Amino acid sequence: MSANFWNNGELEPKRAFRFLITLSLGVGEDQKDVQFLAKSVSRPSYTVTSSPHKFFNHTFHYPGRVEWGTVSLTLVDDITVNGAELLYKHLAQIGYQTPSSLSEAISTTITKQTATRAFSSFSIQEKGTNPDGTTRDIGNWKLKNAFITSVNFGEHSYDSEEMIDIQLDLQYDYAIYSQGNT
């Protein structure tokens, strides 16, 4: 099939720049489905660990656990959506409190339940182009039990006219891929 790829107009590779990020942040009435302007996102990845078994003069390797890697995103901080505000509020929704007193600092903690409930869904929608120029869904990645492990709100600088980026790292238990309309 690869030999026919360059000659076949029916085949189309997935393009790195055709994607859409959707996040659900918040709990209860504060929950919002947000589509961010994203510069980049790493697709889910996994590693299968191996366990060696030594038998006399030989070593045999057996597959072990599947470990999913982190997903990294670079988002544009939009004035309308205000990603900095949403992600800062997210800290309170997962159980973090600023330590204004020692008793308050030790009374709450972040748990997996609060972290995954306040970040209820994350998806990467892969897009393609039909021959007539319209967009179609190629596939969709959904991260299960995802939570944010790091946020970098970017930087201000007088010598730049660049957009402000927000960088996120997400950890999750596993990912599901579903094929779109190909």
Side-chain angles (χ1 to χ4, degrees):
M1 183 192 285
S2 63
N4 294 330
F5 170 77
W6 301 110
N7 300 329
N8 189 345
E10 299 284 320
L11 298 175
E12 178 190 0
K14 291 182 181 179
R15 306 287 181 154
F17 64 91
R18 294 192 181 273
F19 67 98
L20 183 62
I21 301 295
T22 306
L23 306 171
S24 284
L25 292 171
V27 179
E29 295 175 6
D30 292 335
Q31 184 172 356
K32 290 182 180 182
D33 288 338
V34 183
Q35 290 183 339
F36 277 97
L37 300 171
K39 282 188 170 180
S40 65
V41 61
S42 61
R43 295 169 72 188
S45 63
Y46 67 85
T47 303
V48 178
T49 63
S50 67
S51 300
H53 177 72
K54 297 183 190 244
F55 185 73
F56 293 109
N57 291 333
H58 302 284
T59 302
F60 299 95
H61 295 275
Y62 292 90
R65 295 183 176 103
V66 174
E67 295 180 1
W68 289 87
T70 59
V71 167
S72 298
L73 296 96
T74 302
L75 307 174
V76 176
D77 195 2
D78 188 348
I79 294 172
T80 309
V81 174
N82 200 348
E85 178 186 15
L86 287 174
L87 292 167
Y88 188 76
K89 285 182 178 178
H90 178 75
L91 280 174
Q93 293 166 345
I94 64 174
Y96 175 79
Q97 289 185 3
T98 53
S100 56
S101 71
L102 184 58
S103 61
E104 285 182 15
I106 61 173
S107 64
T108 61
T109 187
I110 299 172
T111 64
K112 182 167 182 170
Q113 180 183 11
T114 59
T116 57
R117 186 177 41 162
F119 189 69
S120 55
S121 73
F122 174 84
S123 68
I124 305 169
Q125 299 167 13
E126 299 174 332
K127 302 289 188 179
T129 306
N130 292 319
D132 63 357
T134 59
T135 303
R136 71 173 189 257
D137 292 330
I138 295 176
N140 191 17
W141 286 99
K142 290 190 183 232
L143 305 185
K144 295 301 184 174
N145 297 326
F147 57 95
I148 298 171
T149 58
S150 76
V151 176
N152 181 338
F153 289 109
E155 64 181 41
H156 293 284
S157 175
Y158 283 114
D159 65 351
S160 175
E161 293 184 18
E162 295 290 321
M163 296 178 278
I164 295 179
D165 295 339
I166 298 175
Q167 295 176 339
L168 298 171
D169 287 327
L170 308 175
Q171 186 62 60
Y172 53 100
D173 290 338
Y174 60 97
I176 295 176
Y177 182 79
S178 56
Q179 186 171 348
N181 306 331
T182 57

